[in-house]
Amino acid sequence: QSALTQPPSASGSPGQSVTISCTGSNNDVGGYNYVSWYQQHPGKAPKLMIYEVTKRPSGVPDRFSGSKSGDTASLTVSGLQAEDEADYYCSSYADGQVFVFGTGTQVTVL
Amino acid sequence: EVQLVESGGGSVQPGGSLRLSCAASGFTLSNSWMSWVRQAPGKGLEWVANMQRDGSEKYLNSVEGRFTVSRDSAKSSFYLQMNSLRAEDTAVYYCARRAYTAFHIWGQGTMVTVS
């Protein structure tokens, strides 16, 4: 049950794109297509942005997209907007019917 | 509207116990996969426990044997009983409704301080 590895920070100017990586192992990210991504603003509860690697819940802008290759998943935010500034966490279903979260990435809109 | 509201947090001494409650509305608790997730001050999210639709349970290694999840369908409530609390259990605790593979709905969280 080790945390998935994310870069501590990422940034981009308004309108640009930013991509966040999430690296695990064959026991979690690489073994299942069950990676999800969460956005968390300061003092608020997390919000689901992507599930099952690429799917977007209703109401999430299509500027948010997900992908996976091997043991690494990625979240891309295109057309960055000021309100996208937040912490982002990945999560994966893992062996043993458990879940593991990533270390978190703080996204700054310059 | 689907909603989760946690309660029961507070301050407790090491070795003490607390029971967190999560009031669910807008959906049928007994047909849902539910989880608890915590976040220590200034830290990242950490999955704590699952209750599956069939009532089976899974726990984070570090809380196994100390924490227990349960539900009361009649009260539409989901619980986390925490015993033998340690300083490292200090966190905001969120309950979440899963659609099996991801945490779709979150409560606002309740703070637990062990000191």
Side-chain angles (χ1 to χ4, degrees), chain B residues 12-112:
Chain B
V12 62
Q13 293 184 340
S17 297
L18 273 179
R19 188 177 85 152
L20 305 183
S21 299
C22 174
S25 58
F27 66 96
T28 303
L29 188 65
S30 60
N31 288 342
S32 299
W33 292 282
M34 298 295 294
S35 297
W36 288 95
V37 176
R38 68 185 180 185
Q39 186 170 34
K43 302 297 183 180
L45 300 172
E46 182 176 50
W47 169 80
V48 174
N50 284 345
M51 173 165 271
Q52 312 291 53
R53 290 168 70 174
D54 64 2
S56 61
E57 306 157 26
K58 286 291 182 179
Y59 297 94
L60 178 69
N61 286 345
S62 62
V63 309
E64 181 94 49
R66 300 188 298 122
F67 290 11
T68 304
V69 292
S70 62
R71 66 187 175 201
D72 184 333
S73 297
K75 294 183 177 180
S76 197
S77 291
F78 180 54
Y79 304 101
L80 181 65
Q81 176 68 45
M82 304 185 294
N83 299 329
S84 303
L85 282 161
R86 306 167 180 168
E88 54 265 35
D89 296 320
T90 294
V92 174
Y93 284 75
Y94 297 99
C95 72
R97 181 192 184 199
R98 287 188 295 122
Y100 188 62
T101 65
F103 308 94
H104 282 245
I105 305 295
W106 296 69
Q108 85 289 351
T110 186
M111 182 71 204
V112 172

